[in-house]
Amino acid sequence: MITMQEASEKLLEMFKSQEFGPQLSLSIIKRRSDDPVNALPCNKWSIGNRMLMYFLGHTDAAATFLQWKAMHRRVVKNAKAFPIYSPITSKIKKKKDDGTEEEFVLVRGFRPVSVFRIEDTIGLEGDFKIPDYAPPEMPPLFKASEKLGIRVFWRPLSKAAYGYYTPDDNSITLSSTDYVVWFHELAHGVRETLADTKTDPDREEIIAETTAIVLYEMQFGEHGYTEQAYDYIKHYCADKSPEAVIKAVMGVLKDVEEAINKILDAANEAATDTVAEQTALF
């Protein structure tokens, strides 16, 4: 594995020269046909309620307390509900010109309904079982997330994000099995322990993406995602010129180094714990 300094220098050189080489495509986890989430009521919600689910619930599956109970799942203690809006309707009869009556539904308003994310439920005995979308082999440095208390979920793509970190419950949700996506979200999780990430969200994205691409280079000595990383970082720069992008990256390298060191330290601690446990068995 190459050093962090070597990986950073390679990254900056490619950013300066704009010579990225072959670009790799990111994978996407797609929902399986046998996934019971396909039959959930939320798939029939209005587009407005589904947007609320995505932005407030951080999920692609939600239901009321009683709906989850009917599907043999229990809402965990202290889970926080979020609201959707259900129409208040009544049936109205209106006479037609020919004297017959026609019945139609009138929407008189909306009422809030509390729903819970699928992530906030656990399965009971029954036939509703969530398919396991986790890869057959965990990604590099996965033990670091366990050591840091970060939960990781793999879910089908439900919104315009390959993955996201949720600080409320210290979890990462991945809709891609590509390691560079994993490193990006892991960086977000680690940054939560190192700084106030709410003061400058754009800068945090630059830190996370730079951390991801440097870690990828360190682990594999490859740079098939560098052009994508450059475009991603450029999106969060006020000045889109190559010089400004390079300046932005150089301005966060100290934070990137701090994040990478914490990830590697956690991974090493986890490895030491594993060796100690195995030694204790003999």
Side-chain angles (χ1 to χ4, degrees), residues 101-128:
E101 289 186 336
E102 180 182 20
E103 187 175 82
F104 65 96
V105 176
L106 177 66
V107 177
R108 296 188 178 278
F110 294 87
R111 61 183 178 87
V113 175
S114 295
V115 295
F116 297 87
R117 310 180 309 162
I118 192 171
E119 292 88 346
D120 293 326
T121 68
I122 57 175
L124 305 174
E125 292 297 324
D127 56 1
F128 189 100

Side-chain angles (χ1 to χ4, degrees), residues 104-262:
F104 65 96
V105 176
L106 177 66
V107 177
R108 296 188 178 278
F110 294 87
R111 61 183 178 87
V113 175
S114 295
V115 295
F116 297 87
R117 310 180 309 162
I118 192 171
E119 292 88 346
D120 293 326
T121 68
I122 57 175
L124 305 174
E125 292 297 324
D127 56 1
F128 189 100
K129 298 189 183 301
I130 305 170
D132 186 5
Y133 287 97
E137 183 177 341
M138 292 299 101
L141 305 176
F142 186 77
K143 290 293 184 180
S145 64
E146 294 180 338
K147 194 68 180 177
L148 295 167
I150 301 173
R151 297 187 300 161
V152 183
F153 304 99
W154 279 267
R155 297 280 189 268
L157 188 72
S158 62
K159 48 187 175 181
Y162 291 104
Y164 53 89
Y165 171 74
T166 307
D168 291 347
D169 62 0
N170 196 28
S171 71
I172 291 172
T173 300
L174 298 170
S175 295
S176 170
T177 55
D178 287 75
Y179 297 153
V180 71
V181 177
W182 154 244
F183 290 150
H184 179 104
E185 302 309 330
L186 180 59
H188 275 309
V190 169
R191 283 288 297 167
E192 283 291 318
T193 68
L194 298 172
D196 181 1
T197 60
K198 297 181 179 63
T199 57
D200 192 344
D202 287 354
R203 188 172 186 274
E204 290 301 321
E205 291 300 329
I206 295 172
I207 293 171
E209 188 67 4
T210 305
T211 300
I213 205 67
V214 169
L215 270 177
Y216 192 88
E217 183 77 30
M218 290 173 66
Q219 291 287 317
F220 304 105
E222 300 175 356
H223 37 263
Y225 299 103
T226 311
E227 185 173 3
Q228 291 167 311
Y230 177 85
D231 290 338
Y232 188 92
I233 292 169
K234 181 172 70 174
H235 175 76
Y236 289 97
C237 294
D239 183 345
K240 311 297 182 185
S241 68
E243 295 78 15
V245 175
I246 294 168
K247 184 178 179 181
V249 171
M250 293 183 68
V252 302
L253 285 180
K254 183 178 179 181
D255 298 290
V256 169
E257 180 179 6
E258 188 179 27
I260 289 177
N261 283 336
K262 181 149 189 177

